[in-house]
Amino acid sequence: MKTRFAFFFSLILLISCTKESDRPDMDYPTTFKLRRFDQVQPVRMFTRNGEVKDAAFIKKHALTQRMQMLYDVGATAPDDASATDITLLSRSEAEMNSGSLTRYDVKKQGDALLLTSKEERSSGYSRSDEFYMDLMIGLSKYKPLIYDKQPLPPASNTGFTYTYKTKEQLVASVKGQELLVHRLAFAYQNLHSWRSLVINNQFDPTGISLLRDGDTLVIQEFAIVGVPVK
């Protein structure tokens, strides 16, 4: 069963400041409606011993199939694309409307536009999820914005070992007249469990160094294209 492409992830992308003149030169405000997939990369597989190069093996592997249950890049458009607009209000502000409105600060880092929500959120994770959290951060080219991490006492009964604060973020780029929202899908398994997730980010290969004996990882990068609304 495919998961809809909601863009609300609490763990995406750390941003940094650049000069105002580095921002894209366009008319403001400009609204983009998400329409289709682009820049779809082949699925890649990694283990502790390095990258697996057998494309047929990767395609048939159960972990690849589990990951691709989250999306369908062969579709004409993402499941919820017609309901999602992103508006660049100015060089420094944007908003996304996907049924509810989210406001973002915009800054540029390299070729990317990094949109950081103005709303702070709280979240947490257990000790058993600590490696998975570290792996997700390691695989992210733009590191998640996580701060005020605090341990919780064992008797808190929240299910969390740690709490933290975060702001959801998007990584995008401008291609001609279109806006690309970059996505990273990945799935991980060891001898005991597996996880799969799609996040707003690009791949950082240095994160592969975190894999342990018995770990398998598959990743796929793609983008969702925003077409300007006339």
Side-chain angles (χ1 to χ4, degrees):
M1 180 178 181
K2 291 183 290 183
T3 298
R4 290 168 60 83
F5 271 92
F7 284 87
F8 298 98
F9 291 96
S10 51
L11 287 175
I12 326 292
L13 317 179
L14 177 65
I15 70 173
S16 63
C17 297
T18 61
K19 296 179 181 178
E20 186 77 10
S21 60
D22 290 337
R23 312 285 172 76
D25 186 15
M26 64 175 63
D27 294 330
Y28 296 98
T30 298
T31 297
F32 301 87
K33 184 172 289 290
L34 301 185
R35 288 294 194 191
R36 66 181 191 276
F37 293 108
D38 196 0
Q39 298 189 350
V40 179
Q41 302 298 312
V43 178
R44 299 174 67 183
M45 176 179 286
F46 300 87
T47 69
R48 177 68 174 171
N49 296 322
E51 184 167 3
V52 177
K53 296 291 189 177
D54 187 334
F57 175 80
I58 295 170
K59 183 177 180 179
K60 294 179 180 179
H61 198 281
L63 193 59
T64 301
Q65 296 173 14
R66 288 168 176 171
M67 179 184 72
Q68 292 181 330
M69 287 173 64
L70 289 175
Y71 61 90
D72 179 9
V73 294
T76 303
D79 290 348
D80 61 355
S82 61
T84 302
D85 294 341
I86 296 177
T87 301
L88 298 181
L89 300 168
S90 68
R91 292 178 181 269
S92 60
E93 287 191 299
E95 67 181 20
M96 182 173 65
N97 188 347
S98 57
S100 60
L101 201 64
T102 305
R103 295 293 295 269
Y104 297 88
D105 293 317
V106 180
K107 292 185 179 179
K108 193 170 187 296
Q109 182 172 317
D111 295 330
L113 289 178
L114 300 175
L115 283 64
T116 301
S117 171
K118 294 177 180 288
E119 179 183 353
E120 180 181 78
R121 297 185 177 185
S122 297
S123 190
Y125 59 93
S126 67
R127 190 176 304 280
S128 61
D129 290 329
E130 197 161 9
F131 171 78
Y132 181 70
M133 290 287 294
D134 290 343
L135 181 62
M136 182 175 67
I137 293 169
L139 296 174
S140 300
K141 181 177 179 180
Y142 302 96
K143 301 309 178 187
L145 182 59
I146 301 172
Y147 51 97
D148 289 351
K149 177 182 171 182
Q150 300 289 336
L152 289 178
S156 62
N157 296 320
T158 63
F160 294 145
T161 306
Y162 306 100
T163 60
Y164 60 88
K165 294 180 181 178
T166 186
K167 293 182 179 181
E168 64 187 15
Q169 301 187 5
L170 306 177
V171 56
S173 62
V174 176
K175 180 182 179 183
Q177 298 298 311
E178 298 176 330
L179 184 74
L180 275 60
V181 180
H182 296 280
R183 307 283 277 168
L184 173 64
F186 68 94
Y188 156 83
Q189 72 177 22
N190 57 23
L191 296 176
H192 307 291
S193 63
W194 71 278
R195 303 281 188 90
S196 189
L197 188 62
V198 183
I199 60 177
N200 299 301
N201 220 309
Q202 294 176 293
F203 177 49
D204 182 354
T206 64
I208 300 303
S209 64
L210 297 172
L211 294 177
R212 307 161 300 185
D213 290 340
D215 289 347
T216 303
L217 175 79
V218 291
I219 67 102
Q220 186 170 27
E221 292 185 273
F222 58 99
I224 302 177
V225 179
V227 178
V229 176
K230 303 298 184 181

